[in-house]
Amino acid sequence: MDIQFYHLLSTPLVQALPKLVSIAYERSMRVAILADEPLRKTLDEALWVYDPESFLPHSALQDDAQDDPGEPIILCSNLEQLGARDLIIITNQRSLEPSDIQASRVFDIFDGHDDAATQAARVRWKGYMDAAIPLRYIRQDDSGGWEVLKQVNQPA
């Protein structure tokens, strides 16, 4: 498992997330997006309207519902709802216990204009780094593209 921290600077989450999900979907990855209400509803809508030329099949799970293995993209509020997924995207600043993650990759997305979110991301990064989890820090540039600035605990 590796965790990639995405530092948003030029576009808000509702614009950046659908593009990342679209790339994962094109690669046949099964994606789970962790989001609290009302953000889950906002992201659900953003995925529906992202690109009129494409379709991102997804569903938003209610808090008491369980993962549907046939659904390629789901939005949910907690890991307990999930089965195995290829990618988990964290939008709610939640720290994850490595033993709880049933995914090969995790994206932790945070708003760089929110000081509390940035500080919380630093705390999560340090905890994962201390646990020797492979990490990447990826910062958004002015045009909305991404640049890998740091990698730690990468396998040789």
Side-chain angles (χ1 to χ4, degrees):
M1 171 189 54
D2 78 348
I3 299 177
Q4 299 177 13
F5 280 75
Y6 282 82
H7 187 163
L8 295 173
L9 291 171
S10 60
T11 57
L13 177 66
V14 295
Q15 290 177 344
L17 180 82
K19 175 69 173 167
L20 293 171
V21 171
S22 176
I23 292 167
Y25 178 67
E26 289 170 7
R27 295 178 181 168
S28 300
M29 297 178 81
R30 296 181 64 243
V31 179
I33 303 164
L34 291 180
D36 298 327
E37 290 288 344
L39 180 58
R40 194 165 60 226
K41 290 180 182 177
T42 302
L43 295 176
D44 182 26
E45 179 65 25
L47 292 174
W48 283 122
V49 300
Y50 166 62
D51 181 357
E53 302 294 317
S54 69
F55 175 61
L56 293 174
H58 69 280
S59 65
L61 297 179
Q62 298 302 318
D63 289 339
D64 59 350
Q66 292 300 306
D67 192 355
D68 174 358
E71 190 71 56
I73 303 163
I74 61 165
L75 293 111
C76 61
S77 60
N78 61 66
L79 285 177
E80 293 76 27
Q81 293 178 271
L82 297 179
R85 289 277 163 174
D86 301 304
L87 171 63
I88 296 172
I89 301 175
I90 302 167
T91 65
N92 59 1
Q93 300 184 36
R94 181 172 175 184
S95 290
L96 303 178
E97 291 296 323
S99 60
D100 293 338
I101 301 170
Q102 296 184 46
S104 57
R105 184 172 291 169
V106 174
F107 292 176
D108 186 315
I109 303 177
F110 65 97
D111 182 352
H113 299 291
D114 180 332
D115 291 338
T118 301
Q119 183 57 36
R122 288 183 180 127
V123 170
R124 291 191 305 277
W125 173 278
K126 182 172 181 347
Y128 296 139
M129 188 172 63
D130 291 348
I133 295 171
L135 298 170
R136 286 188 181 95
Y137 168 64
I138 303 166
R139 185 176 65 194
Q140 195 173 46
D141 63 26
D142 292 339
S143 66
W146 301 100
E147 180 181 11
V148 177
L149 294 180
K150 189 176 220 177
Q151 299 184 72
V152 298
N153 299 330
Q154 297 297 315

